[in-house]
């Protein structure tokens, strides 16, 4: 017997043995109680990092425990593999996004297998494969038929060098978190989901989630952002236009002394025409960073209808 523990020899021997015997393969078994355990599908950005190892180890411990307790455990792995980051990485590495993505998937799968996690690899998915995303497209069409998705023009945080839209969290002091270049506002036609129609359902279910810290539930409720109030229409002096304002405090409306329109409001350019504010607000919004945009709003006196 060898004195030393030669990990590459011993582990690869047993990993192959487990794989050949398909010990983690799962099949339907009506006799057993089902247990579905999904940690997270990683984005195939390159190699597995220690955050993945930590996360998937915790999940694997739970999966093995449940398996030993007699549950029929479905513990799958897959890849959240679509998106702009793959295209940007492909441009930077002068390769094709598909090649880049599939090579990363192969490397990361090899690493996860080395960790000996109890995944049923026959159930592996990659969201960039047509066999997978055809169902996303199908789902989208179903929502479109039900008018749960709609298209409208809206401003987005845009990074020109990355050629991509950024979430607010990805804009740091007016700069792109990825490349450090200035972010500008760009008008783009986009698809929106009518999630506000489901605000009530989502809120009710927040209170039905067992075991979540209060802080997380509160964050979720704030994100849903439901508030009860009224839409109030203000007339604009010397104009037939009306400004619709949503407020939760309609009882304080007579205290309103001025009104402020955001620079991207569709009425701003029309209302400011020929006034002293025209030049200030008529700056093409393209040149305005999100941080200075609030200073460029249009002030007008309110008239309640
Ligand atoms: Zn960028």
């Amino acid at each position: 017997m060898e004195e030393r523990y030669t990990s590459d020899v011993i582990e690869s021997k047993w990993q192959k043995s487990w794989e050949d015997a398909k010990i983690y393969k799962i099949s339907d078994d009506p006799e057993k109680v089902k247990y579905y355990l999904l940690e997270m599908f990683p984005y195939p950005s390159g190699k597995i990092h220690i955050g993945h190892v930590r996360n998937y180890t915790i999940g694997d411990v739970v999966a093995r425990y449940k398996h030993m307790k007699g549950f029929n455990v479905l513990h799958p792995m897959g890849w959240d593999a679509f998106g702009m980051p793959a295209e940007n990485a492909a441009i930077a590495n002068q390769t094709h996004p598909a090649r880049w993505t599939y090579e990363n998937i192969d490397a990361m799968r090899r690493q996860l297998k080395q960790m000996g996690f109890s995944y049923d690899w026959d159930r592996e998915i990659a969201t960039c494969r047509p066999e997978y995303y055809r169902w996303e497209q199908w789902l989208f069409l179903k929502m479109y038929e039900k008018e749960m998705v709609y298209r409208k023009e809206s401003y987005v945080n845009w990074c020109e060098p990355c050629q991509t839209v950024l979430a607010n969290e990805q804009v740091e002091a007016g700069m792109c978190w990825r490349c450090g270049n200035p972010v500008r506002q760009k008008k783009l036609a986009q698809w929106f989901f009518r999630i506000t129609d489901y605000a009530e359902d989502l809120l009710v279910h927040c209170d039905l989630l067992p075991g979540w810290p209060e802080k997380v539930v509160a964050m979720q409720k704030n994100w849903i952002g439901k508030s009860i109030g009224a839409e109030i229409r203000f007339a604009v002096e010397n104009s037939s236009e009306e400004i619709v304002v949503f407020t939760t405090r309609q009882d304080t409306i007579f205290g309103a002394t001025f009104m402020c329109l955001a620079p991207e409001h569709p009425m701003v350019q029309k209302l400011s025409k020929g006034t002293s504010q025209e030049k200030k607000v008529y700056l093409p919004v393209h040149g305005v960073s999100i941080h200075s945009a609030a200073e460029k709003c249009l002030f007008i006196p309110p008239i309640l209808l």
Side-chain angles (χ1 to χ4, degrees):
M1 194 177 138
E2 285 214 36
E3 290 284 305
R4 286 173 62 90
Y5 177 72
T6 44
S7 58
D8 51 340
V9 176
I10 295 168
E11 289 178 14
S12 55
K13 175 190 163 185
W14 287 108
Q15 280 154 12
K16 186 175 182 311
S17 164
W18 298 334
E19 192 157 342
D20 291 346
K22 290 194 178 289
I23 59 166
Y24 301 123
K25 186 165 174 55
I26 199 81
S27 48
D28 292 350
D29 186 349
E31 299 296 310
K32 287 184 181 171
V33 181
K34 291 176 186 174
Y35 192 86
Y36 177 58
L37 198 150
L38 170 65
E39 292 107 17
M40 174 188 76
F41 291 147
Y43 178 75
S45 54
K47 297 280 190 300
I48 291 292
H49 56 67
I50 199 66
H52 291 126
V53 173
R54 176 178 182 266
N55 187 43
Y56 299 133
T57 301
I58 295 168
D60 198 53
V61 168
V62 177
R64 286 169 187 276
Y65 173 75
K66 289 289 182 184
H67 180 74
M68 285 189 276
K69 295 287 270 185
F71 288 87
N72 198 27
V73 183
L74 176 55
H75 188 205
M77 181 41 75
W79 314 97
D80 176 9
F82 242 155
M84 218 52 176
E87 293 195 20
N88 290 329
I91 293 167
N93 292 284
Q94 300 196 339
T95 179
H96 191 281
R99 190 173 166 189
W100 169 260
T101 301
Y102 288 126
E103 281 178 2
N104 286 348
I105 287 176
D106 287 345
M108 290 168 77
R109 188 195 301 105
R110 199 162 49 240
Q111 289 181 300
L112 289 181
K113 285 188 174 180
Q114 280 178 337
M115 292 295 300
F117 292 135
S118 60
Y119 300 124
D120 178 357
W121 285 102
D122 289 349
R123 307 239 182 187
E124 178 186 355
I125 58 140
T127 57
C128 60
R129 289 192 195 281
E131 307 90 272
Y132 177 88
Y133 68 72
R134 67 181 288 255
W135 292 109
E136 287 194 325
Q137 291 172 330
W138 180 84
L139 211 59
F140 182 89
L141 289 174
K142 291 292 154 200
M143 289 198 273
Y144 182 75
E145 285 161 16
K146 292 270 180 203
E147 295 182 356
M148 285 160 66
V149 289
Y150 59 99
R151 204 162 191 225
K152 72 167 186 181
E153 285 209 322
S154 173
Y155 284 97
V156 292
N157 302 316
W158 179 260
C159 176
E160 194 61 41
C162 290
Q163 286 285 299
T164 186
V165 173
L166 300 169
N168 288 339
E169 297 77 19
Q170 295 172 325
V171 182
E172 291 164 355
M175 304 295 174
C176 169
W177 71 302
R178 195 178 294 119
C179 70
N181 283 295
V183 174
R184 68 180 172 92
Q185 298 294 292
K186 184 179 183 179
K187 204 174 201 177
L188 270 186
Q190 298 165 80
W191 289 101
F192 289 82
F193 291 88
R194 263 182 232 287
I195 53 170
T196 46
D197 287 3
Y198 297 87
E200 192 56 43
D201 286 5
L202 291 168
L203 277 174
V204 167
H205 280 266
C206 276
D207 293 326
L208 300 176
L209 294 170
W212 285 87
E214 229 169 81
K215 199 176 77 181
V216 176
V217 175
M219 274 163 60
Q220 193 66 19
K221 286 183 177 174
N222 289 340
W223 178 80
I224 295 165
K226 183 186 171 184
S227 56
I228 298 168
E231 277 191 348
I232 294 174
R233 293 176 298 131
F234 286 88
V236 179
E237 211 167 19
N238 306 321
S239 163
S240 57
E241 301 277 353
E242 285 178 0
I243 298 171
V244 182
V245 173
F246 174 82
T247 177
T248 56
R249 293 298 307 274
Q250 52 271 35
D251 54 320
T252 64
I253 207 80
F254 291 100
T257 49
F258 71 88
M259 201 169 276
C260 177
L261 292 185
E264 62 269 30
H265 194 286
M267 285 165 74
V268 161
Q269 295 194 352
K270 205 195 291 181
L271 289 179
S272 62
K273 224 173 175 55
T275 72
S276 60
Q277 296 187 69
E278 180 177 359
K279 210 173 155 202
K280 201 172 175 187
V281 298
Y282 204 73
L283 279 174
V285 181
H286 286 186
V288 182
S289 80
I290 55 161
H291 291 277
S292 60
E295 296 154 19
K296 301 281 191 290
C297 62
L298 174 69
F299 288 96
I300 36 175
I303 310 161
L304 190 57
L305 279 182

